[in-house]
Amino acid sequence: MLRYGYKLRFYQLSGPDKGNLSHEDFFQDREQMMTRYREVFRQDLYAYNPTAWQYVDNEWTRLSV
């Protein structure tokens, strides 16, 4: 089974579900994840930007990027 070590969680930007999870993108390494994060980050979204996560010891841990 292929295990991904990193993910970005994306959130709904409008409507009644604003702020709820929209989808997740998975990555094999931090560099790939950070490249994608820089592509989608928008200063004006503030709290609705994607969040970065790393899989460590059988659980997802949120990263500060």
Side-chain angles (χ1 to χ4, degrees):
M1 181 171 118
L2 182 60
R3 171 96 16 132
Y4 295 102
Y6 297 88
K7 69 178 177 179
L8 288 176
R9 297 188 79 185
F10 291 82
Y11 302 95
Q12 295 288 341
L13 300 179
S14 62
D17 289 330
K18 184 175 182 176
N20 290 339
L21 181 65
S22 169
H23 67 280
E24 298 176 324
D25 288 352
F26 293 88
F27 305 89
Q28 291 191 4
D29 61 56
R30 184 182 178 102
E31 183 178 326
Q32 291 174 330
M33 180 193 65
M34 291 305 300
T35 298
R36 178 70 175 133
Y37 183 83
R38 286 188 287 273
E39 290 173 356
V40 299
F41 178 84
R42 287 181 30 205
Q43 186 72 32
D44 61 309
L45 289 180
Y46 188 62
Y48 299 109
N49 274 301
T51 54
W53 298 76
Q54 181 179 12
Y55 194 73
V56 179
D57 296 329
N58 294 318
E59 66 181 30
W60 289 102
T61 304
R62 186 170 174 182
L63 300 174
S64 175
V65 289

